[in-house]
Each structure stands twice: as structure tokens, then as C-alpha cells.
Amino acid sequence: MAANEPHNSAPSGARGTARPATTHPQPGSNGLVLDGARVVLPTGVVDKGRVAVEGTRITASPSENAQVIDVTGHWLLPGFVDIHNHGGGGASFSSGTAEEILTGVHTHRVHGTTTLVASTVTDDMDVLARQAGLLSELAEQGEIAGIHFEGPFISPCRKGAHSEALLRDPDPAEVRKLVDAARGHASMVTLATELPGGIESVRLLAEQGVIAAVGHTDASYEQTLEAIDAGATVATHLFNAMPQIGHRAPGPIAALLEDERVTVELINDGTHLHPAALQLAFHHAGPDRVAFITDAMDAAGSGDGRYLLGPLEVEVTDGVARLVEGGSIAGSTLTLDRALRRAVTVDRLPIEHAVAALSANPARLLGRYDRVGSLEPGKDADLLVLDADFTLKGVMRQGAWVVVPELR
């Protein structure tokens, strides 16, 4: 499990067969061709396929002198896109310095996440605004893909691992304050839209081009439909921190699953969801409306022990994070390579559906599908090499190896 791996380790299960590329070596000036793999494309799986890279992009026409690497017996996938991630490698995106945040980003990058949105947790508004300013600088540098504010505009009834003392209603003026602090890099805000100001805040976010996500909510079915009609398009970690489905009061889950305008987040770590719940989501939402996320906290890629999630103390035991006080699940220690492997080996999802949930669907949500999310000419050369058992062996981001595959 990722929680038992040392910081900056090779991908889980890949020790001795992959190594982090500390200098990020580029392919040769004539480009690179990865040949012979099973390539997962938007149209399906191509056996004995090839992907060519020139500079930072995938190309349809490699140079005659391009370096050719035989990856027969392996899988080639697009890099993962994580839209909900609080940290890793011992670093928190909510409170860390720039250096610490980059440590967390790299921790997930070596596990295949080549595009990452940094999520914050509930805190004082001024603290969140200051951290948004720091995160926006890293977004401008291309290290992260944006900022997700999870809290403080959430329900005390469904607070999960958020400090109840710091929660507040989603006043549109305060929502706007956080969006402005992100300097154009706010990607998503999670709201309990049934609270006073919730619907108005959803409309504000939609007008600003920021994803409004329904989560940590005690909303009814009807209230959730109102939020969707107002512009909400994401369900924050569906099933978790919201009322469960009732036969007389179906609640938010039914509304979020049935509406084609909504993408549902799922944490596929074996702790947050029973496999039947995951299958239910895929059955009702379909493979184009599911986004796998980590909801990772500091301990991802770092190990068991005591951590802070915002102002709250967390104990991680056997890779499961829980609040010291109260015992609520407190995010995860998941990395997306593990989510992929579980999806295809335990949940028995078709590889195309799992890859869509890890790459294409979240890329579309972010408005980045023209650059990332699939292995197509003209897009960034963000790609992953996995062995036949779906163990990650190599990671490339924008044409540079982050983890160099040592293929036999």
C-alpha cells in the first residue's frame, strides 16, 4: 500500500524495475517511439500499438531516426488526472510551503498522476485565501492544474474530517473572495448547496467558470436537483458525507446519479466504497460520468503515523486515515495507480472504462481534454507504462521521464 512506501519511492510493486528520473531526461532530439504495447485509446485497446513522442507532445509522424523502445507485453495509458487531492509524501496542500507542496505533487506524479488539482480543507477564510495565493503561483508555473476548495461551505451534519468550528454558510461574497484569491486558478468549490446562499453561490461559480460540486451535504433529492439546475456539475466523493439512498427520501445520491449533467467522484481504495456501490455508480452514471479521485492526505506515499488535516489530528493505521477524535475517515492514502489496478483486477471494470475515469473524464471537467487525458497526436506526452499485471513501471510527463521504465 502507498501508505507503507517511502517518500519518493518507485511505484508500488515496481521496486527494482523502475526508478525516479531526478533529472527528467528527455527523449533524444529525434524523438521516441514506444512500440509493441497494448495501447488504450479513446476508441478502445490497440494490440501491438505504438505511441510516438517528439519534444513535449505525442506525434503521428515520428522521425525515421527516432529512438525505438520495445514495450511488448506492457500497457500504455494516458497519465492520470486527479481533481481532488489534499497532499502526499508528508506534505499538505492546505498548509504547506511551496517546496512542501512540490514534494506532495511529485509523490503522486511518480504514481502516475501527471495532472493534479490541489485541494484545501476547511480553515479560517484568511488562511485559505493566503494558501490560494501560494497555490496559484504553482499553477502559473504548470506544477498543478488548479485549486479545489473543499470547505468551509459545507454542512455540519456531514462535516466528515472538517473542523465544525470553522464551517460557515456559502455566502456568495465569501465564495467570491476565495475564487478571487486563486487568481484565475480556482477549478472547483465543494458546497452544501442546501445551506443559505448555496444556490446563489452555485450560480456565481458557474458564471465564473468554476466547477460547483455538491458535497458534504445534507440536501434532499429536490434540493439537489435545484442545485444541478443552477449549475452544479460534480458530486464530491459520491456516497461519502451525504445521506444514503432511502426509498421514500432518495436524497442527493439518486439525483446526482440520474442527471447527465453531473460527473460523480469515486474513491476506489477499498475503504470508502463497497465494490457494489462502485458498480451501482458505473451502471447508473455510465463510464463517461465517473471520475476516480484519491482524496489523498499527507500520508499518501509516506506511511502510518500521526498527521494534521487542516487543524484536525489524524491517525493513519494500515493505510487508513481516521480522525483521532471521533474516528471519522479522514481522506485517504490512495494513489491513482492503485485505484486503476483495483478497478481492473477487483472490480473487473473494462480497462477502457477505468482509464476514462482516471484520465479523460476529469480532463474534460477541467477543460483540458485538448491537452491531456488521452494518447492522441498533438496532446502532451503524458503517458504511463504498466506491465501485464497493471503494475506501474514508467511515468512520462510532457515528454520527460518522471519514472524511467527498466524493461526486460
Side-chain angles (χ1 to χ4, degrees), residues 54-402:
E54 187 169 324
T56 63
R57 302 291 183 89
I58 298 170
T59 180
S61 304
S63 166
E64 292 183 2
N65 299 318
Q67 177 189 7
V68 178
I69 298 178
D70 184 5
V71 286
T72 300
H74 290 74
W75 294 88
L76 287 182
L77 313 180
F80 302 140
V81 179
D82 193 353
I83 60 171
H84 188 156
N85 187 317
H86 296 280
S92 167
F93 299 149
S94 293
S95 59
T97 65
E99 183 178 2
E100 289 167 344
I101 292 165
L102 289 175
T103 294
V105 170
H106 183 71
T107 297
H108 287 280
R109 205 169 278 174
V110 300
H111 287 277
T113 298
T114 51
T115 302
L116 182 147
V117 173
S119 301
T120 61
V121 296
T122 295
D123 211 321
D124 180 82
M125 287 289 291
D126 290 337
V127 172
L128 289 172
R130 285 197 300 272
Q131 194 68 6
L134 174 60
L135 291 168
S136 68
E137 294 177 8
L138 297 177
E140 288 159 9
Q141 297 167 17
E143 297 291 348
I144 63 173
I147 305 166
H148 164 216
F149 297 102
E150 186 183 22
F153 311 115
I154 61 176
S155 172
C157 301
R158 306 287 175 175
K159 64 183 184 296
H162 291 254
S163 172
E164 185 170 354
L166 295 171
L167 299 183
R168 58 183 64 213
D169 291 338
D171 182 315
E174 294 200 320
V175 173
R176 181 63 183 263
K177 177 182 177 179
L178 291 187
V179 171
D180 288 346
R183 303 202 305 254
H185 297 288
S187 295
M188 183 162 66
V189 178
T190 292
L191 305 163
T193 55
E194 75 280 6
L195 296 177
I199 296 301
E200 294 82 0
S201 293
V202 168
R203 293 193 182 104
L204 168 69
L205 292 168
E207 291 168 1
Q208 295 293 313
V210 178
I211 296 166
V214 178
H216 288 275
T217 177
D218 203 40
S220 67
Y221 175 85
E222 292 77 14
Q223 289 171 324
T224 306
L225 290 181
E226 184 183 6
I228 296 169
D229 286 338
T233 57
V234 166
T236 294
H237 43 55
L238 187 75
F239 300 109
N240 299 117
M242 59 182 64
Q244 300 307 294
I245 297 174
H247 63 290
R248 292 191 182 93
I253 294 172
L256 294 163
L257 280 176
E258 72 183 14
D259 199 298
E260 294 183 355
R261 294 170 289 182
V262 176
T263 297
V264 299
E265 296 180 347
L266 298 177
I267 309 171
N268 193 27
D269 62 352
T271 298
H272 282 79
L273 294 177
H274 189 282
L278 181 141
Q279 292 292 346
L280 179 71
F282 269 89
H283 177 76
H284 286 279
D288 295 332
R289 290 179 44 220
V290 174
F292 282 145
I293 61 164
T294 59
D295 194 19
M297 46 82 71
D298 312 20
S302 187
D304 288 354
R306 289 278 179 111
Y307 296 85
L308 286 177
L309 186 60
L312 302 180
E313 194 169 15
V314 175
E315 180 78 37
V316 178
T317 304
D318 296 331
V320 177
R322 294 185 179 275
L323 290 182
V324 171
E325 185 176 342
S328 293
I329 294 176
S332 85
T333 61
L334 185 64
T335 52
L336 285 182
D337 57 333
R338 285 171 48 210
L340 178 279
R341 196 167 193 271
R342 180 178 177 85
V344 295
T345 63
V346 176
D347 303 310
R348 301 296 180 184
L349 291 179
I351 182 70
E352 304 96 317
H353 294 178
V355 169
L358 287 157
S359 301
N361 299 344
R364 288 193 186 97
L365 273 176
L366 296 177
R368 290 174 174 253
Y369 191 62
D370 60 329
R371 292 291 301 272
V372 299
S374 65
L375 300 177
E376 297 178 273
K379 292 192 174 185
D380 289 352
D382 292 359
L383 59 85
L384 312 177
V385 182
L386 293 85
D387 68 14
D389 295 323
F390 302 101
T391 299
L392 188 63
K393 297 297 183 181
V395 179
M396 176 180 284
R397 182 175 186 267
Q398 296 181 2
W401 289 114
V402 178

